[in-house]
Amino acid sequence: MRETGEILSIAGKTATIQLNRGEKCDGCQACNAFGENKMQLDAQNDIGAKVGDVVEVDVEPKEVIASSMIVFIFPLVMMLGGYFAAVKFLPPHSEGVGVLGSLGALVLAFVFIKMLDKRRNPNDLNPAVIINIAPKISVN
């Protein structure tokens, strides 16, 4: 997946980039958390791009799919599992107990995702890589 965005900050070899919403994002509103049609991404900066540069970023599709599975699908699976486990094993085996089990499992899923994120070594190679700096446009 290739996207274009502007570098907001740089820390070592990692650049934080604000990406514009691409055509692949149609129908998804997740990036609105950073402002309308914006999202942020950390990318490996091996080409020496600087703050304010407009760059092209490449992310392996398998990384996008794996991250999406962890963030979106895993919590849903945990909620379903928590519901059915609570109904089966906790008295009074009612729907209310299932809902509480579902919410508990959802909290556990988010705690697990947060732990995975903290365990990630910041020195590991970032799956997102800056591949090109867009040329500056001069206005005459």
Side-chain angles (χ1 to χ4, degrees):
M1 175 178 92
R2 288 195 180 173
E3 296 292 339
T4 303
E6 181 180 348
I7 296 181
L8 299 176
S9 65
I10 296 177
K13 289 273 190 185
T14 303
T16 300
I17 303 165
Q18 182 168 311
L19 300 173
N20 293 321
R21 186 174 155 177
E23 61 189 44
K24 296 177 186 100
C25 302
D26 286 344
C28 178
Q29 300 298 317
C31 60
N32 286 339
F34 295 106
E36 190 156 333
N37 297 329
K38 305 286 184 192
M39 67 179 189
Q40 292 181 357
L41 172 73
D42 289 337
Q44 191 173 330
N45 182 14
D46 291 333
I47 64 172
K50 302 195 179 350
V51 173
D53 284 347
V54 175
V55 295
E56 189 175 7
V57 181
D58 187 45
V59 182
E60 289 291 322
K62 69 179 181 177
E63 296 293 334
V64 174
I65 292 170
S67 296
S68 296
M69 294 288 285
I70 290 169
V71 172
F72 297 113
I73 305 301
F74 178 66
L76 289 174
V77 169
M78 286 292 289
M79 283 180 68
L80 286 170
Y83 178 86
F84 290 114
V87 167
K88 181 162 178 81
F89 297 113
L90 297 176
H93 308 291
S94 68
E95 188 172 322
V97 170
V99 170
L100 290 176
S102 179
L103 292 174
L106 180 63
V107 169
L108 286 176
F110 287 132
V111 167
F112 179 76
I113 291 169
K114 186 67 172 172
M115 287 174 34
L116 275 179
D117 189 45
K118 285 189 179 214
R119 271 186 87 205
R120 195 180 123 229
N121 186 350
N123 296 326
D124 286 347
L125 290 178
N126 196 322
V129 178
I130 297 173
I131 58 171
N132 191 20
I133 300 173
K136 301 277 184 195
I137 299 173
S138 62
V139 178
N140 292 329

